[in-house]
Amino acid sequence: MSEKRAAPAVPLAPRHEVRLPDGRRVSCTSPAEALLIWREATGEGLYGLAARQLRPHDTVLDIGANVGLVSIAFADVQRTLRIVAAEPVPDVFACLQDNLGRHVPGATPVRTAVGTAPGVQDFTYYPAAPGNSGFYADRAADDALTKTFLRRSGLDEEAVEMMTDGLHDGCTIEVPVTTVSELIREHDLRSVALLKVDVERAELDVLRGVDAADWPRIGAVVAEVHDEGGRLAELCGLLQDAGLAPQVRQDPSLRDTEMYEVYARRADHAPGADR
């Protein structure tokens, strides 16, 4: 079920605190999702590879920041990063502000979505699964993807059905939208060592919002990609045209799904030259 409303004046999802494996506490609206995001951010995937390439004083644009766990993981690798983290959903943004203030105090949270052009757009928000929210949310597809992941995690069918029941009940809210290039201008970013993109089927929108003149400023991109309708090949082609060399990975737990990670790096980007 979905209903239309403007950005909520009061939270639609209760706020929780969860303890990370290293003992730190973070704010979130979904503890299970937060722990899953932390595992992805600190695991053996391409996010970890991207983090290891960061150098002191690099700049990171975290697009689709959720509650800030990827930003925290990146800052753990390099404490002097400059991070600008964008998240459009008010409930989730409040957690992002709290977490960055506690764990990455120099980071800049921005309450906005990122797309092809500035404006205001309808956005489907799943209070029980905020990380699956987005402009192109598809309840049936999101249920199917989550079920495949849970089955591959070893849960039986009864548990899978119980955990996904109502998970993607959503509402439509209006959110502000900006572009990567607008963020570069507004925050006076001379260079961006890493552009991280996790926006649930809007990956191409984000990349198409980079002005041609700004691509040389961007040293690397790491993105989660839903490969629907040839999106993965199109995204990799766009990155190659921009002068970056993409590599693709699929997590074993997401085999037989459309979910992939892409990391693309520019060979001539000078580390540490972002400030």
Side-chain angles (χ1 to χ4, degrees), residues 40-117:
E40 293 174 347
T42 57
E44 295 301 316
L46 295 184
Y47 278 11
L49 174 62
R52 291 191 295 275
Q53 302 300 317
L54 293 169
R55 298 294 181 265
H57 306 296
D58 274 349
T59 295
V60 174
L61 272 179
D62 184 352
I63 307 302
N66 198 277
V67 300
L69 294 172
V70 175
S71 285
I72 293 171
F74 288 163
D76 284 348
V77 175
Q78 288 293 342
R79 298 304 304 178
T80 59
L81 293 177
R82 181 180 183 186
I83 297 176
V84 177
E87 167 57 46
V89 177
D91 288 3
V92 183
F93 181 74
C95 297
L96 172 67
Q97 282 185 301
D98 184 34
N99 293 333
L100 294 184
R102 280 197 265 181
H103 303 299
V104 196
T108 303
V110 185
R111 193 178 79 77
T112 187
V114 179
T116 57

Side-chain angles (χ1 to χ4, degrees), residues 52-189:
R52 291 191 295 275
Q53 302 300 317
L54 293 169
R55 298 294 181 265
H57 306 296
D58 274 349
T59 295
V60 174
L61 272 179
D62 184 352
I63 307 302
N66 198 277
V67 300
L69 294 172
V70 175
S71 285
I72 293 171
F74 288 163
D76 284 348
V77 175
Q78 288 293 342
R79 298 304 304 178
T80 59
L81 293 177
R82 181 180 183 186
I83 297 176
V84 177
E87 167 57 46
V89 177
D91 288 3
V92 183
F93 181 74
C95 297
L96 172 67
Q97 282 185 301
D98 184 34
N99 293 333
L100 294 184
R102 280 197 265 181
H103 303 299
V104 196
T108 303
V110 185
R111 193 178 79 77
T112 187
V114 179
T116 57
V120 176
Q121 288 183 231
D122 285 348
F123 183 98
T124 299
Y125 172 39
Y126 300 135
N132 294 341
S133 307
F135 291 129
Y136 305 109
D138 180 326
R139 179 174 180 169
D142 293 330
D143 277 349
L145 174 62
T146 303
K147 287 178 180 180
T148 298
F149 171 76
L150 292 173
R151 291 181 188 116
R152 293 206 176 279
S153 300
L155 296 182
D156 61 33
E157 202 61 29
E158 182 178 1
V160 168
E161 292 297 327
M162 183 179 302
M163 292 184 70
T164 54
D165 183 33
L167 186 67
H168 296 118
D169 286 349
C171 62
T172 303
I173 62 175
E174 288 186 341
V175 299
V177 184
T178 190
T179 68
V180 169
S181 285
E182 285 295 321
L183 288 171
I184 287 172
R185 284 188 284 272
E186 289 169 10
H187 297 276
D188 194 23
L189 307 180

